[in-house]
Amino acid sequence: MNVTLVSFPRIPAIRTLQPEGSTGTSGNSHVGAYVSDLVVTLPAVPDTAFDASSGSVAPRPAQLAFDDLDTPLYDTTFVVVDLETTGTSPERDAITEIGAVKVRGGEVLGEFATLVDPGCAIPPQVVHITGITTAMVMEAPRIDAVLPGFLEFAAGSVLVAHNARFDTGFLKAAAARCAAAWPAFQVLCTVQLARRILARDEAPTVRLSALAQLLGASTRPTHRALDDARATVDVLHALIERVGNQGVHSLTELVDYLPEVSRRQRSKRFLAADLPGAPGVYLFRGPSEEVLYIGTAVHLRRRVRSYFTGSETRTRMREMVALATRVDHVRCAHGLEAGVRELRLLVAHTPPYNRRSKFPKRAWWLTLTAEPFPRFAITRTPTWDALGPFGSRNDAAEIAATVAEYCGVRTCTTRIPRHGRHGADCPPAAVGGCPAGTTGELRDAADYASAPRSVRELFTGGGDAVLRVIRDRIETYSAAEHFEAAARLRDRLTAVVRALRRTQRLAAVARLAELIAARPDGSGGWEFAVIRYGRLAAAGTAARGVSPMAVVESLVASAETVIPAMLDAGAPSTHRPSARIAGDPGDGLPQRRSECDGSSGDLIPASRPGSPGIVGDFERSHASQGMPAETLELPLTPASDATDLLADPRYPPLRGASPEETALIARWLEQPGTRIVRTTDGYHEPRLGAGHWLRWLERAEAAARTEFAANDYLAHT
């Protein structure tokens, strides 16, 4: 038997240099940065080998390159990083500490650790968790001074983190704020790796502290960045050892191992071969030509191809792909058309693998009953003064309880005749009693009429007196230091404002007979949408150099005819005269008329203080881009109609349009850069509607989030 002996010279150990006086350990007072100087000498490998059978030196057999074998895990450089932050939002919060360990082949090559000045006070609940106080970071460097050093330390390596989405999200946000390019790191998440490798019986939780104890990590996590990074290194090595006997020896094999992609799933990649690289809707079809799943994409071929690779981890989707035999598509002009077509196809086909297609028409509305003493009813069919839609009946019931309490709407179920009186059977001012009977006095229909009238004014934007009463009650509780009661009422008012805003925002779009909007496509052209009564009637684009108005007129001529649903089919439909809005002179769009032709009365710009509207957002977004704000004024609205335009008794709030489709259109209109080309009426929300309360709503939601900040922080670290 021939034996070939190969002799390799010993490779010297990699040396890690640390600052003088450093102990290399982490504590609560650890400040500073460890930067590794890697000194590696690789001797040349001999090109020949000794043949024991012949006693001669023979040429070395050819060896496969790493490109053929993929990068072995023992030769892959990992930088394991952990962050401490002031909260859980990369947009609102900041980094307070960075810790990273560079490893390759099981050896530590270097460490990087530093405190970071977040530029703000560290919340008490975060101090309690991490031990990092505002005083500790006052003399620390800012992130713009730290980030370049970290990126240099991690260059060319695979970034590893426990819950990598959290850490990389903060690092990317910091890079964006520092105007620094974010390198194309390959990222590995030890949470995802642990869930794939460890059975749930063995590891009920994948928190870092639990995994470190389970897998015997030498470092205990302490919610300090370097300690947690060191613990994550031990967890990573232990998990890699678990998969070594399953044929996972390279980085590519480890990445492919994570999503558990079957060979059958990969074999169906050909289904995406003929799809275009354009926006549209795709439909997976089964063996009997039934539609299994419907989705949208800005790049059809790339999106559908992802279902056959490791990026698709949903069990339901893998099951759907196994059944699919064909992928159909509908090419669309832009993302809005794709989203609308998806919604309509979901209603038409109700595919089994789309979660939201199970009950596409299920929605609840809060209305007043048609009786002499109206009370709230929760129904599927909206009336002209209804509030909704709600996703669940319980949500509608909670809003009804709050509004009834402060508007004085009765909650008793007794039927009262027209000439009867309310209060005879209702307990006076007791807990759980009827809100309309708090005084204990008998009330006829005329006395009671103010209650439903205040509800209609609230729902349709005619007045916000009820909201101000609730806000004053919150302030009274706070002044009396009844903070728990104030917080509960704040959350109830928040829910009411959200519901009002949703209805009024959608009704503002649905009431317009026609609205034509344009958005820049990012390449010098335009995306157009023709919207009629809350539905998308036509969509198109105008490439750079093409006259946009010619495209607009063509779309209008070929647009779908939309007839709004009416509560009284015999009532005639009238529309206001046309008003136009345009952008800058010379962009090809028509210039805005200074007034609404044919209208009478005092004209009030809808952008005036206290009258928020979507086009007001357009004005702010364009002004931030250097465009003159005065060229983007809102349509003018007669003062006499300012509070009643959204409350026409002939129509339901959305004129029969799908709430999902109208909401999708409203979101598209709110995007920065969107301009109104033409509309049959002023596009605005009611002056005294919920839009006036958005700033209060933001503050209330921020206050509600703070009490959960500690739990969220623990859940994401």
Side-chain angles (χ1 to χ4, degrees):
M1 178 176 66
N2 294 333
V3 178
T4 302
L5 301 179
V6 180
S7 176
F8 288 89
R10 182 176 180 180
I11 300 177
I14 297 172
R15 295 188 287 114
T16 302
L17 304 183
Q18 297 180 346
E20 293 185 5
S22 170
T23 62
T25 61
S26 172
N28 287 342
S29 61
H30 177 77
V31 182
Y34 298 121
V35 180
S36 302
D37 294 333
L38 308 182
V39 182
V40 184
T41 304
L42 299 178
V45 179
D47 295 330
T48 58
F50 179 75
D51 190 336
S53 62
S54 60
S56 60
V57 177
R60 172 176 304 281
Q63 185 179 17
L64 291 174
F66 282 143
D67 290 341
D68 299 325
L69 297 175
D70 294 325
T71 306
L73 287 172
Y74 66 78
D75 199 49
T76 300
T77 302
F78 298 99
V79 169
V80 183
V81 64
D82 186 81
L83 305 178
E84 302 302 332
T85 65
T86 60
T88 59
S89 171
E91 291 76 22
R92 296 188 300 270
D93 301 310
I95 298 171
T96 58
E97 188 178 31
I98 300 178
V101 181
K102 182 181 288 187
V103 294
R104 183 172 63 233
E107 296 186 11
V108 176
L109 307 183
E111 295 180 335
F112 181 101
T114 180
L115 289 170
V116 180
D117 180 6
C120 61
I122 300 177
Q125 61 268 22
V126 176
V127 174
H128 177 73
I129 296 169
T130 66
I132 301 175
T133 65
T134 304
M136 293 171 60
V137 299
M138 286 183 65
E139 302 299 328
R142 297 296 295 268
I143 189 64
D144 54 353
V146 173
L147 189 61
F150 171 77
L151 295 179
E152 183 179 355
F153 177 77
S157 63
V158 176
L159 215 57
V160 182
H162 198 71
N163 192 2
R165 180 176 297 179
F166 175 84
D167 296 279
T168 57
F170 270 91
L171 290 171
K172 289 179 179 179
R177 285 193 287 266
C178 297
W182 178 255
F185 286 114
Q186 186 158 10
V187 180
L188 193 63
C189 179
T190 50
V191 169
Q192 186 182 6
L193 192 62
R195 284 174 175 159
R196 175 70 177 89
I197 296 172
L198 303 176
R200 191 166 293 274
D201 293 340
E202 181 181 9
T205 176
V206 290
R207 296 175 67 91
L208 181 59
S209 57
L211 292 179
Q213 182 177 1
L214 174 66
L215 301 174
S218 59
T219 304
R220 183 177 64 88
T222 61
H223 284 296
R224 293 300 302 270
L226 188 58
D227 282 349
D228 288 4
R230 288 169 174 166
T232 306
V233 169
D234 293 340
V235 169
L236 174 67
H237 288 162
L239 294 174
I240 289 177
E241 289 177 4
R242 294 277 187 113
V243 297
N245 60 357
Q246 301 183 38
V248 179
H249 302 294
S250 69
L251 179 62
T252 302
E253 290 170 339
L254 181 63
V255 172
D256 289 342
Y257 176 82
L258 285 176
E260 194 177 7
V261 180
S262 66
R263 181 175 300 178
R264 184 179 181 185
Q265 185 176 352
R266 293 183 187 277
S267 67
K268 294 192 174 183
R269 287 177 291 182
F270 72 94
L271 295 177
D274 297 330
L275 298 180
V281 183
Y282 54 90
L283 301 88
F284 281 88
R285 291 189 178 271
S288 302
E289 294 298 310
E290 72 276 20
V291 176
L292 301 174
Y293 182 79
I294 298 173
T296 62
V298 296
H299 191 290
L300 283 167
R301 182 172 59 255
R302 183 171 59 229
R303 179 67 185 97
V304 173
R305 187 185 294 162
S306 68
Y307 286 92
F308 315 116
T309 64
S311 60
E312 182 51 71
T313 59
R314 293 171 293 178
T315 303
R316 285 171 54 85
M317 291 299 98
R318 290 200 295 267
E319 179 183 321
M320 182 274 296
V321 168
L323 295 173
T325 59
R326 194 174 89 240
V327 178
D328 292 339
H329 74 279
V330 180
R331 187 165 181 163
C332 300
H334 45 68
L336 175 62
E337 183 188 4
V340 169
R341 286 189 181 274
E342 178 193 27
L343 292 173
R344 296 177 181 179
L345 287 170
L346 287 174
V347 174
H349 295 283
T350 59
Y353 289 93
N354 284 90
R355 293 188 182 275
R356 63 177 176 178
S357 71
K358 290 184 177 180
F359 309 104
K361 297 182 179 180
R362 175 170 291 183
W364 296 98
W365 294 83
L366 182 61
T367 67
L368 288 169
T369 58
E371 52 184 327
F373 292 82
R375 49 201 166 100
F376 281 124
I378 301 173
T379 178
R380 299 285 192 190
T381 304
T383 57
W384 71 272
D385 53 357
L387 184 70
F390 295 94
S392 71
R393 186 184 181 91
N394 289 338
D395 292 343
E398 291 177 1
I399 300 297
T402 302
V403 176
E405 178 180 350
Y406 288 90
C407 287
V409 176
R410 71 185 185 102
T411 56
C412 56
T413 58
T414 306
R415 283 192 168 273
I416 306 175
R418 182 177 299 276
H419 299 292
R421 292 194 173 194
H422 173 270
D425 299 325
C426 293
V431 175
C434 179
T438 54
T439 61
E441 298 178 357
L442 299 180
R443 302 173 63 186
D444 57 20
D447 293 336
Y448 180 78
S450 60
R453 183 167 56 249
S454 63
V455 170
R456 292 190 178 98
E457 289 180 353
L458 178 66
F459 285 5
T460 60
D464 61 350
V466 176
L467 301 182
R468 286 187 273 109
V469 169
I470 302 176
R471 184 190 59 190
D472 293 343
R473 180 67 61 85
I474 295 172
E475 294 175 353
T476 301
Y477 284 151
S478 298
E481 298 185 358
H482 297 162
F483 299 119
E484 292 184 358
R488 287 193 296 269
L489 187 55
R490 175 206 64 202
D491 293 341
R492 294 173 67 189
L493 178 56
T494 297
V496 172
V497 173
R498 280 202 211 100
L500 293 171
R501 164 69 171 162
R502 180 172 58 247
T503 303
Q504 294 166 6
R505 173 173 170 259
L506 300 185
V509 179
R511 72 181 184 83
L512 298 175
E514 183 175 272
L515 185 151
I516 305 168
R519 274 184 57 190
D521 64 1
S523 302
W526 293 92
E527 297 177 350
F528 294 107
V530 178
I531 302 154
R532 293 175 176 173
Y533 293 113
R535 303 169 180 84
L536 182 65
T541 59
R544 183 176 184 178
V546 176
S547 173
M549 289 311 300
V551 176
V552 168
E553 298 305 331
S554 176
L555 290 174
V556 171
S558 60
E560 175 186 355
T561 299
V562 177
I563 300 176
M566 299 183 67
L567 299 176
D568 181 3
S573 177
T574 60
H575 306 304
R576 298 276 310 285
S578 175
R580 296 175 182 263
I581 293 181
D584 298 333
D587 63 2
L589 298 179
Q591 296 304 300
R592 176 192 173 280
R593 295 181 187 174
S594 59
E595 59 185 9
C596 295
D597 299 338
S599 60
S600 59
D602 296 334
L603 298 179
I604 301 176
S607 57
R608 64 181 294 180
S611 177
I614 291 176
V615 188
D617 297 333
F618 298 166
E619 180 178 21
R620 288 189 293 273
S621 65
H622 283 294
S624 65
Q625 299 171 17
M627 298 183 182
E630 61 270 19
T631 63
L632 292 164
E633 296 175 7
L634 292 176
L636 301 180
T637 306
S640 59
D641 295 342
T643 59
D644 297 328
L645 284 173
L646 306 184
D648 191 331
R650 297 172 300 172
Y651 303 98
L654 301 187
R655 269 63 168 178
S658 162
E660 292 82 4
E661 180 174 341
T662 308
L664 188 64
I665 292 171
R667 286 195 298 270
W668 188 84
L669 291 171
E670 292 171 354
Q671 294 300 312
T674 306
R675 305 180 185 184
I676 296 180
V677 180
R678 185 167 66 234
T679 176
T680 54
D681 206 335
Y683 177 29
H684 70 281
E685 296 178 20
R687 184 173 60 87
L688 298 178
H692 188 65
W693 288 73
L694 289 183
R695 290 186 179 179
W696 181 92
L697 182 62
E698 292 175 359
R699 293 196 301 269
E701 291 176 339
R705 284 193 300 265
T706 56
E707 61 190 75
F708 302 106
N711 292 334
D712 289 343
Y713 190 84
L714 283 172
H716 290 85
T717 54

